[in-house]
Amino acid sequence: MNRRAAEETFFKALMGISALAIVAALLGIVGTVLWKGLPTMNLDMVTKTPTGAFHLGGAGGVLNAIVGSLCLAGGATVVSACLALPIVMGLNVYSRRASRLVTFTRFSMDVLAGVPSIVFGAVGYILMRLLGLPASLLVGIIVVSLLILPIMIKAMDEMVRLVPAEMAEASAALGATRLETAFRVVARQALPGLATAVLIAFGRGVGDAASVLFTAGFNDRLPDSLGSEAATLPLMIFHQYNSPFPDVQNRAYASALILMVIILAVSVTARILTRRLSRHSIR
Amino acid sequence: MTQPSATGAVGLKPHISVRNLNVYYGDQPALADVSVDIPDRKITAVLGPSGCGKTTFLRSLNRLVDSVDGVRVSGQVLVDDEDLFDPAAEVTHIRKKMGLLSQRPSPLPMSIYDNVAYGPRIHGQRDRAALDALVEHHLKLAGLWEEVRDRLRAPATSLSIGQQQRLCLARGLAVEPEIILADEPTSALDPVSSAHIEGKFRELRDRYTIVIVTHILRQARRLADYVIFMYMGRMVEHGPAAEIFDNPREKQTREYISGVIS
């Protein structure tokens, strides 16, 4: 066999191994969570809040953490989307392409997206103490929205940059203002991508533990206002897994299963939305 | 070479007056000292080889050149005596006077109906019945109505490329412009669709001032009342079509028309 054919074979094998590794990792994670989590999974887990004895293996469920996580990630997603859309439209429709501000903003987003979430949590905690706020759903939402903002902006920006310049020009040539062009044409063309970006950010927010460790608090009740403490699924998993009781440890897997189902549902929704919303998009 | 009264001399009333227009992309001059009157309600063909500044010239007429990085413009473009490059000029208002047809059709990401209704809507038309009438009227004007009347809600992309170009024509006409700017509007189309678009231009020539950029000499011969010939960023010659084609004064024009350069 000559050298070039050998190279070809080698790289084909390498690609196969890489693909296999990814599939194996996915199956390993899902398998472990299902295997350990399913036996302790029951209706109480998703419909009841913990009783006092729950953390010792007694009755109850993790509804407080489910609701807490959904409120936290949902609120943070709304806040981030309200900030991300104007920024992305500013970058792509309002600014000249080569301006320094645009380059600097994109660079800042790249850096921010790489900052570990514990740093967001710590900075959020310092700010919270400076402002004299208690750990609460509100502070958690603010910190998580800062965490997912760069992710959302990057994902949106990539989608909006794909909108052909000719399309924005066609709108401008009809006498449209940049605002009209941004929201009636550019946003519409990029709509499937924008929806996906929002859901990706939600998924990131719902699964993050470190940013809410000090900032959202933790308790056994459902959050009833922005000022109340809120439990979250990642923290619930963390606490349960650290328990000395094997029953409680296994519940960590059941909680992880719930978190995985939420994230899976978000991904599937993103796929369906993308297909629905792209009916009018120009390809 | 400068003929300020050339249009007047043959009884053509100017609609757009370009005065000493210079356009630079960075340090690169794209248009050098162009002055011309574009006659009202006639087809003016801007002719010349690739890279001669035809498209830059056309995009100056509605200030789309602004969207290019590092562009510098000097001189005047007067549309109905309003200077387009006056910093105080309201560009959306001036652009409303012009419909643009680009090289490749660029439908908006919405239905056929909404594409045509887009312009009237952003200019304040909210009434459903009025919009319906506008859409029908302009689709008829662009010769597309019969083909799409049953599927107005379908995405614009469900049309063939030739149909899309006529949709873009209808969309441009729907803002009720006085001027139609067309940048090689048939270069992406098959011969049948091209003939369709050219036919529409001939029908519309009495009502609109049409400026068409083309590098197809035969197309200019078929359509033009007035011809501007450009070469390497300069306007070499302009005048009524018959004069330019039959009796060009400049050597470069002669060479281009006889096919020595292209």
Side-chain angles (χ1 to χ4, degrees):
Chain A
M1 197 158 54
N2 68 38
R3 214 189 102 143
R4 296 176 67 217
E7 277 174 4
E8 194 82 340
T9 316
F10 176 73
F11 274 98
K12 260 194 214 160
L14 203 63
M15 280 181 252
I17 292 166
S18 310
L20 215 66
I22 289 175
V23 173
L26 178 70
L27 287 181
I29 292 170
V30 174
T32 310
V33 169
L34 281 176
W35 173 52
K36 291 225 179 184
L38 268 184
T40 40
M41 189 67 196
N42 55 40
L43 203 59
D44 278 3
M45 279 294 280
V46 292
T47 55
K48 293 210 169 117
T49 54
T51 60
F54 179 72
H55 301 291
L56 305 170
V62 295
L63 183 64
N64 61 326
I66 297 174
V67 173
S69 272
L70 291 178
C71 289
L72 201 72
T77 305
V78 171
V79 172
S80 292
C82 291
L83 294 171
L85 259 184
I87 292 176
V88 170
M89 290 304 167
L91 286 177
N92 288 286
V93 184
Y94 278 79
S95 311
R96 298 236 163 158
R97 279 181 199 281
S99 97
R100 284 211 184 120
L101 184 66
V102 168
T103 316
F104 182 71
T105 308
R106 291 210 167 104
F107 176 69
S108 311
M109 289 305 144
D110 287 344
V111 172
L112 272 182
V115 172
S117 64
I118 187 76
V119 176
F120 280 93
V123 171
Y125 180 72
I126 293 168
L127 275 177
M128 182 180 96
R129 297 307 295 266
L130 278 177
L131 297 172
L133 292 168
S136 60
L137 186 56
L138 179 68
V139 177
I141 286 177
I142 293 170
V143 174
V144 174
S145 58
L146 290 178
L147 172 74
I148 64 178
L149 185 64
I151 296 160
M152 196 187 281
I153 288 177
K154 272 165 63 74
M156 284 185 172
D157 191 36
E158 269 159 34
M159 289 325 212
V160 172
R161 280 168 103 168
L162 293 178
V163 176
E166 294 78 33
M167 197 179 277
E169 259 173 26
S171 168
L174 293 165
T177 62
R178 284 192 278 196
L179 186 69
E180 285 159 343
T181 302
F183 285 96
R184 289 175 183 233
V185 176
V186 175
R188 199 156 176 182
Q189 167 74 6
L191 196 57
L194 296 180
T196 311
V198 167
L199 291 172
I200 287 173
F202 178 88
R204 182 77 167 74
V206 85
D208 194 72
S211 60
V212 293
L213 191 56
F214 321 115
T215 53
F218 195 86
N219 66 13
D220 285 348
R221 292 181 307 279
L222 292 180
D224 52 12
S225 73
L226 284 173
S228 63
E229 296 195 15
T232 54
L233 278 170
L235 281 188
M236 186 64 111
I237 295 167
F238 176 72
H239 290 316
Q240 286 171 329
Y241 198 73
N242 279 337
S243 159
F245 306 102
D247 283 356
V248 180
Q249 284 181 8
N250 283 339
R251 277 184 184 160
Y253 287 99
S255 306
L257 182 59
I258 296 168
L259 186 55
M260 264 174 36
V261 169
I262 292 175
I263 289 172
L264 183 70
V266 168
S267 306
V268 172
T269 314
R271 290 262 161 162
I272 295 172
L273 267 183
T274 308
R275 210 166 303 156
R276 284 267 172 86
L277 295 177
S278 59
R279 185 173 121 86
H280 285 296
S281 297
I282 313 287
R283 280 173 292 272
Chain B
M1 198 169 120
T2 40
Q3 313 135 311
S5 63
T7 51
V10 288
L12 301 171
K13 198 157 49 107
H15 195 163
I16 304 174
S17 293
V18 180
R19 295 272 164 271
N20 308 104
L21 184 68
N22 288 278
V23 177
Y24 296 87
Y25 295 133
D27 298 326
Q28 198 74 27
L31 277 187
D33 199 30
V34 172
S35 295
V36 64
D37 286 338
I38 291 172
D40 192 18
R41 286 162 220 260
K42 294 280 182 261
I43 296 180
T44 299
V46 184
L47 201 58
S50 295
C52 70
K54 307 186 294 279
T55 297
T56 299
F57 176 71
L58 192 81
R59 289 163 64 86
S60 302
L61 298 183
N62 68 355
R63 270 188 70 171
L64 275 181
V65 278
D66 284 15
S67 60
V68 181
D69 281 334
V71 73
R72 274 186 303 131
V73 181
S74 69
Q76 285 183 314
V77 175
L78 299 166
V79 180
D80 298 330
D81 294 326
E82 209 176 340
D83 182 13
L84 208 61
F85 287 98
D86 181 343
E90 210 184 311
V91 70
T92 54
H93 165 71
I94 296 169
R95 283 184 184 150
K96 185 181 177 301
K97 291 184 183 177
M98 313 184 188
L100 176 73
L101 219 49
S102 49
Q103 287 189 21
R104 292 188 61 80
S106 56
L108 299 175
M110 43 188 88
S111 69
I112 295 168
Y113 181 99
D114 289 338
N115 258 277
V116 185
Y118 179 79
R121 277 191 181 131
I122 58 174
H123 294 295
Q125 181 59 263
R126 290 270 172 274
D127 183 55
R128 277 302 297 268
L131 280 176
D132 286 350
L134 276 173
V135 169
E136 180 175 344
H137 176 72
H138 291 104
L139 280 173
K140 279 180 176 161
L141 212 53
L144 190 60
W145 175 252
E146 290 306 323
E147 292 155 66
V148 301
R149 57 186 304 172
D150 300 325
R151 49 175 177 140
L152 291 172
R153 298 287 162 197
T157 41
S158 65
L159 299 173
S160 74
I161 195 156
Q163 289 173 322
Q164 284 181 22
Q165 192 64 308
R166 277 179 281 147
L167 178 67
C168 292
L169 179 62
R171 181 181 68 196
L173 293 175
V175 295
E176 287 168 358
E178 301 158 18
I179 301 157
I180 298 171
L181 306 176
D183 186 4
E184 304 191 7
T186 60
S187 63
L189 306 186
D190 61 82
V192 177
S193 301
S194 299
H196 218 122
I197 291 279
E198 284 188 17
K200 281 296 146 194
F201 280 173
R202 270 189 289 270
E203 283 172 35
L204 297 169
R205 77 185 336 151
D206 299 335
R207 275 175 287 170
Y208 297 91
T209 302
I210 299 174
V211 184
I212 175 172
V213 161
T214 183
H215 65 264
I216 310 167
L217 194 58
R218 289 162 197 249
Q219 186 172 52
R221 278 189 195 270
R222 285 193 295 270
L223 290 175
D225 299 303
Y226 197 81
V227 172
I228 297 171
F229 176 68
M230 299 187 64
Y231 191 80
M232 303 292 277
R234 302 200 155 266
M235 198 174 59
V236 176
E237 186 165 359
H238 62 94
E243 277 181 30
I244 299 280
F245 288 131
D246 301 336
N247 197 11
R249 282 181 301 272
E250 302 293 326
K251 181 167 163 280
Q252 281 159 339
T253 320
R254 261 198 309 279
E255 287 181 348
Y256 186 78
I257 286 168
S258 60
V260 177
I261 53 172
S262 62

